[in-house]
Amino acid sequence: MLLQELTDLNAHGARDIATLAKTWEPILDRFPGWFWATDANYRLTYLSDNIGRITKTSREDLIGLYILDADYGDVRTEAGIAEYYDLLLKQEAFYNVCYERNLVEGKRIVFMDSGVPIFDADGRFAGYHGISLHVSHATEQAGATSSLVFALKNRADALEEELSRRNAELEAKNELLIEVLEAMGEGLMVTSGADLYDPNVVVEIVNPAYRKLFGLGPKDVQIGTSIPDLVGRLIRNGDVPNDPAKIDKMVKDMQAERPIVMDLGTQKKTTSVASSKRKDGGLILVHTDVTNLRSQNVKLEKALHTAEVATAAKSNFLATMSHEIRTPMNGIVGMADLLAETALSAEQNAYVETIRSSAQALTNLITDILDFSKIEADRLKLDIAPFVVRDFISEISGLVSGLARAKGLEFVVEIDRNVPQAVTGDSFRVRQILLNLLGNAVKFSLKGQVGLSVQTSAEQGGLTFCVTDTGIGIPDDMLEHIFTPFEQVEGGLRRGFEGSGLGLAITRDLVQAMEGDIRVTSQTDVGSTFTVELTLPEVALDRAIKHTAAPMDTVRLEGLRVLVAEDNKTNQLVVRRMLERAGVEITTANNGIEACALFAAQQFDLVLMDVSMPKMSGLEAAQAIRTQEAQQGLAPCPIVALTGNAFDKDRASAFEAGMDDFLAKPVRLRQLLECLSRNISTAEGKDPGAVKHARS
Ligand code: ADP
């Protein structure tokens, strides 16, 4: 009530409050408080008498003082006073605000103040009217409670301050986060749960990039949008397939954090979605627009396909060329071999030799080209087996020494005594490497010597082969180019050396296929040294010997009955002439069908089968013969493929069709006879009655 009256005094000034105080004086005598009033500058304009009683300060000393400076004389410290002053400065009404003052002698007094601002007729602040109540006795009863209240209040204030500081920080961070989400190029969608069919699972975060990707507006997808509703909209839009099985798979992939790719039909876009599970069970889905990447991939795939088609065409071309060249070469080589066996004049002999060596060069070239394309197409397979090093080197020496001798060169072989007796590796390919290098050493040397040395490498299980010559040498600037296909050093003395420029390219590739190393040092007009290091681990000698083919028994071929299936008349003639000279009885078939018919009607000891033939291929004919034998319970008759198709795959398909051996055209007389002997002796060895049985 008193406060109400105080409020009503608004704008009436100090005098009126004095009147009011007078009215209340009888009560105030016993009332532990006083009235006070200030002007607009917070100077005390009125204090009721009992201030002197309560604070032992006379009001005359206080009137006119700035309220915040009035120290009531004996009062020194304050608790809650700062807040009280803050309230005053706000020029707003306040009620029952407590603050504490400590008297000099140590007594603590607590005041409870209420105040109302007063305003003049123009609404300007004119000062305060207020009452201060001395409530120490009340709080004393409560003992520590009051200080606790202050302490708590202070603590609460501090906490409130900390809270608002943290809130401000959090808000700043939130703003930053929102900025990032809005700026990021990836579409972001965070869901409240992982069960995307549950209508209670909603969007928790979505950014503009997500909406852009799916062509959606802010209202179509926002925080709180139910996920099944959103999926429904995407299905209607045509950006999610209307196929429950596909959707199910997509959802399962997302739940399992598997990346998925989505084609957004209406947007003509492709997005890849990376999903991760949130700790509380929701999903974070990041959509990246991979439309450009996809179209680049499509282009690359097309380019790859074109390249594959081109490679396949190249392989086919090579296979066809190889076949087409090898077939007539068989005629040339075979006929030249036969011609050489007849009585010829010296001049005629020289011509025949030229035909033979030219044919050999051409055959080598075809083999090199096939080898090179095989390595290039990564189809080279190594055939690893144990072999005896000294036997291997002496076989190579046998081949090279003749060539060297013919050119008046010395050929020197050195094998270090540390070199193991037997090693394991692809001896066929090592032979090819060394023959290429030795062939060049002989070819490019006009005098002096060619050498081959073998030592153990510093590396465990390695052998180092050195091929040296005293030839024309290689200029420094060409040393790194000679391993490039078709690259040859030109000019000067070099004119007139035959070669394709493929030998060293193949050699280097073979060395690399065996994970070895090849180096060259050379000096023009002094000579060259090619060093090859290969890993060829040592093996027990007996294993290598077992593996090395036993020397072939020469089987007498006289009276042997051979069926030759061959469509090319020249080649029929070549084989007939070659074999008839060894006393072999020949029957010829012009195609597979004829071959099968003859095989069914007559007994043969061996079949020589061309592969590409009209009407029925050699492969089909071999299969038919094997079936026939099985049905009649006959022992298998040896079938040898004699073909211009000289790829590994041709060899493999010949064996698959049931053939026993493989000869590539052009075939040399010796090769053919050896092959026949080998197969006849194997057939006899396999089952002593086999050949007889087939003949009977
Ligand atoms: P080519 O069939 O021409 O011999 P290679 O690839 O074997 O092809 O060799 C490439 C070139 O490197 C040769 O043409 C030759 O110029 C040079 N070359 C290779 N070996 C020797 C060598 N031992 N001495 C001199 N030159 C060599």
Side-chain angles (χ1 to χ4, degrees):
M1 193 176 70
L2 190 57
L3 284 173
Q4 186 55 53
E5 286 194 37
L6 268 176
T7 313
D8 294 345
L9 277 181
N10 191 5
H12 290 287
R15 193 197 298 264
D16 294 302
I17 195 166
T19 316
L20 182 72
K22 283 271 176 299
T23 319
W24 287 85
E25 219 142 80
I27 306 165
L28 285 179
D29 273 344
R30 271 164 280 136
F31 176 74
W34 65 89
F35 289 94
W36 53 267
T38 74
D39 62 13
N41 296 316
Y42 296 96
R43 293 191 191 281
L44 287 164
T45 50
Y46 175 80
L47 282 163
S48 53
D49 284 344
N50 26 2
I51 184 156
R53 188 164 46 78
I54 295 166
T55 68
K56 301 195 178 68
T57 316
S58 76
R59 74 172 172 182
E60 285 70 29
D61 291 342
L62 296 171
I63 295 292
L65 285 180
Y66 182 45
I67 188 168
L68 305 185
D69 290 339
D71 64 0
Y72 306 124
D74 54 350
V75 173
R76 55 180 173 100
T77 53
E78 300 99 10
I81 197 85
E83 291 87 342
Y84 170 56
Y85 287 168
D86 279 350
L87 282 176
L88 281 177
L89 295 176
K90 280 187 184 161
Q91 303 180 353
E92 285 170 6
F94 59 89
Y95 303 100
N96 302 335
V97 172
C98 287
Y99 59 94
E100 194 181 81
R101 290 177 180 243
N102 289 321
L103 301 184
V104 176
E105 62 270 24
K107 196 175 172 204
R108 184 175 60 87
I109 47 176
V110 180
F111 295 100
M112 189 166 78
D113 268 32
S114 300
V116 288
I118 50 175
F119 298 96
D120 64 16
D122 299 329
R124 277 194 302 264
F125 174 67
Y128 260 105
H129 286 162
I131 311 166
S132 290
L133 288 176
H134 175 204
V135 292
S136 305
H137 56 283
T139 58
E140 266 158 22
Q141 281 164 15
T145 320
S146 114
S147 50
L148 200 66
V149 168
F150 284 121
L152 281 177
K153 186 170 183 303
N154 286 343
R155 178 87 188 112
D157 286 349
L159 282 177
E160 204 170 307
E161 210 171 282
E162 176 69 10
L163 201 68
S164 60
R165 194 179 58 77
R166 295 248 174 115
N167 269 347
E169 266 178 30
L170 216 61
E171 222 160 88
K173 277 194 184 146
N174 260 350
E175 266 168 31
L176 179 68
L177 213 61
I178 289 169
E179 245 176 80
V180 171
L181 289 183
E182 304 219 329
M184 71 191 264
E186 278 85 11
L188 180 74
M189 157 70 56
V190 179
T191 67
S192 62
D195 180 359
L196 305 184
Y197 296 106
D198 179 352
N200 294 321
V201 170
V202 294
V203 174
E204 290 220 320
I205 297 178
V206 59
N207 71 346
Y210 180 92
R211 294 192 185 101
K212 192 170 163 217
L213 197 63
F214 286 89
L216 297 171
K219 283 197 185 135
D220 300 330
V221 52
Q222 54 189 316
I223 295 171
T225 304
S226 136
I227 295 295
D229 285 356
L230 175 63
V231 174
R233 174 179 282 277
L234 295 179
I235 293 175
R236 283 195 301 283
N237 286 0
D239 289 329
V240 163
N242 192 4
D243 177 342
K246 281 189 186 158
I247 294 178
D248 209 41
K249 174 156 190 335
M250 230 185 253
V251 169
K252 285 206 173 103
D253 283 342
M254 286 176 178
Q255 288 165 338
E257 300 186 324
R258 281 191 292 267
I260 58 169
V261 172
M262 289 172 74
D263 280 313
L264 312 180
T266 50
Q267 304 303 310
K268 294 198 171 52
K269 278 182 186 161
T270 306
T271 163
S272 91
V273 188
S275 54
S276 44
K277 281 189 230 157
R278 291 170 57 192
K279 279 195 202 104
D280 65 0
L283 293 176
I284 301 169
L285 306 172
V286 179
H287 293 251
T288 310
D289 185 347
V290 291
T291 317
N292 289 342
L293 215 64
R294 170 64 83 87
S295 70
Q296 271 166 8
N297 269 355
V298 170
K299 275 187 207 147
L300 278 179
E301 266 166 32
K302 268 192 200 150
L304 184 69
H305 178 70
T306 315
E308 278 169 354
V309 169
T311 309
K314 188 174 110 183
S315 297
N316 276 343
F317 172 76
L318 280 171
T320 314
M321 284 310 285
S322 159
H323 178 255
E324 293 307 309
I325 295 171
R326 277 169 193 275
T327 305
M329 283 299 291
N330 199 43
I332 298 170
V333 172
M335 283 302 177
D337 280 354
L338 290 171
L339 195 59
E341 304 274 313
T342 60
L344 297 175
S345 68
E347 195 184 5
Q348 285 168 328
N349 240 331
Y351 295 159
V352 172
E353 269 320 304
T354 311
I355 296 174
R356 284 168 107 181
S357 65
S358 305
Q360 191 55 53
L362 201 52
T363 310
N364 290 347
L365 178 63
I366 297 166
T367 311
D368 270 2
I369 290 178
L370 280 187
D371 258 351
F372 183 66
S373 67
K374 208 183 312 176
I375 298 172
E376 205 188 26
D378 232 2
R379 282 203 309 261
L380 182 82
K381 282 195 212 88
L382 295 178
D383 188 4
I384 309 290
F387 61 94
V388 182
V389 179
R390 280 171 180 76
D391 291 355
F392 169 76
I393 296 292
S394 77
E395 189 201 322
I396 289 177
S397 308
L399 293 169
V400 177
S401 57
L403 292 176
R405 215 177 308 118
K407 278 192 80 176
L409 301 167
E410 200 187 338
F411 180 50
V412 187
V413 177
E414 260 178 63
I415 304 177
D416 192 270
R417 77 172 112 86
N418 293 334
V419 170
Q421 289 185 301
V423 295
T424 181
D426 187 336
S427 60
F428 179 79
R429 295 302 180 183
V430 182
R431 182 188 293 110
Q432 197 178 353
I433 291 168
L434 296 180
L435 285 179
N436 273 348
L437 297 177
L438 287 164
N440 279 348
V442 171
K443 182 161 73 171
F444 295 107
S445 297
L446 305 171
K447 57 179 179 3
Q449 69 170 42
V450 166
L452 167 64
S453 73
V454 192
Q455 288 158 351
T456 50
S457 307
E459 212 172 286
Q460 177 79 14
L463 287 186
T464 305
F465 301 87
C466 282
V467 173
T468 53
D469 66 55
T470 52
I472 58 173
I474 304 157
D476 282 354
D477 61 341
M478 279 307 290
L479 281 178
E480 60 181 286
H481 299 294
I482 54 171
F483 293 100
T484 310
F486 306 107
E487 196 78 52
Q488 292 174 311
V489 184
E490 286 183 358
L493 277 173
R494 287 166 197 278
R495 253 174 253 126
F497 287 116
E498 280 178 4
S500 61
L502 274 177
L504 286 181
I506 293 171
T507 304
R508 188 205 46 198
D509 289 350
L510 287 175
V511 170
Q512 283 175 353
M514 292 186 217
E515 290 173 6
D517 187 37
I518 183 165
R519 300 184 292 276
V520 57
T521 55
S522 187
Q523 211 180 327
T524 318
D525 297 330
V526 176
S528 313
T529 301
F530 285 82
T531 308
V532 175
E533 282 192 55
L534 295 174
T535 306
L536 297 166
E538 183 173 1
V539 283
L541 183 62
D542 54 344
R543 280 193 57 205
I545 288 173
K546 237 183 267 162
H547 221 273
T548 312
M552 197 178 54
D553 294 331
T554 11
V555 174
R556 289 177 62 80
L557 301 175
E558 251 166 52
L560 199 71
R561 286 168 299 180
V562 173
L563 171 62
V564 178
E566 166 69 77
D567 61 319
N568 183 295
K569 295 284 179 224
T570 314
N571 286 333
Q572 277 181 9
L573 186 64
V574 170
V575 175
R576 174 179 289 281
R577 289 281 185 270
M578 282 180 168
L579 294 185
E580 275 176 357
R581 291 162 59 87
V584 175
E585 287 174 24
I586 299 287
T587 308
T588 40
N590 293 306
N591 55 52
I593 292 178
E594 275 183 33
C596 289
L598 283 166
F599 190 84
Q602 298 176 33
Q603 300 299 327
F604 293 102
D605 303 313
L606 189 139
V607 181
L608 267 179
M609 185 78 83
D610 185 16
V611 172
S612 310
M613 284 188 293
K615 295 189 183 158
M616 183 191 262
S617 78
L619 299 178
E620 290 165 312
Q623 276 165 343
I625 288 173
R626 293 291 179 235
T627 314
Q628 192 183 322
E629 286 170 339
Q631 283 165 354
Q632 296 175 9
L634 292 175
C637 172
I639 307 178
V640 176
L642 175 56
T643 170
N645 303 330
F647 281 103
D648 281 349
K649 71 170 175 21
D650 301 316
R651 183 183 287 268
S653 38
F655 287 121
E656 229 166 79
M659 302 205 209
D660 303 283
D661 213 336
F662 187 92
L663 281 176
K665 289 176 188 170
V667 68
R668 307 300 300 259
L669 178 60
R670 188 161 171 268
Q671 248 183 321
L672 181 62
L673 297 182
E674 274 178 6
C675 177
L676 257 54
S677 304
R678 183 167 62 234
N679 283 284
I680 292 302
S681 66
T682 324
E684 282 172 348
K686 244 191 257 166
D687 171 2
V691 176
K692 274 190 211 98
H693 179 69
R695 279 182 196 161
S696 58

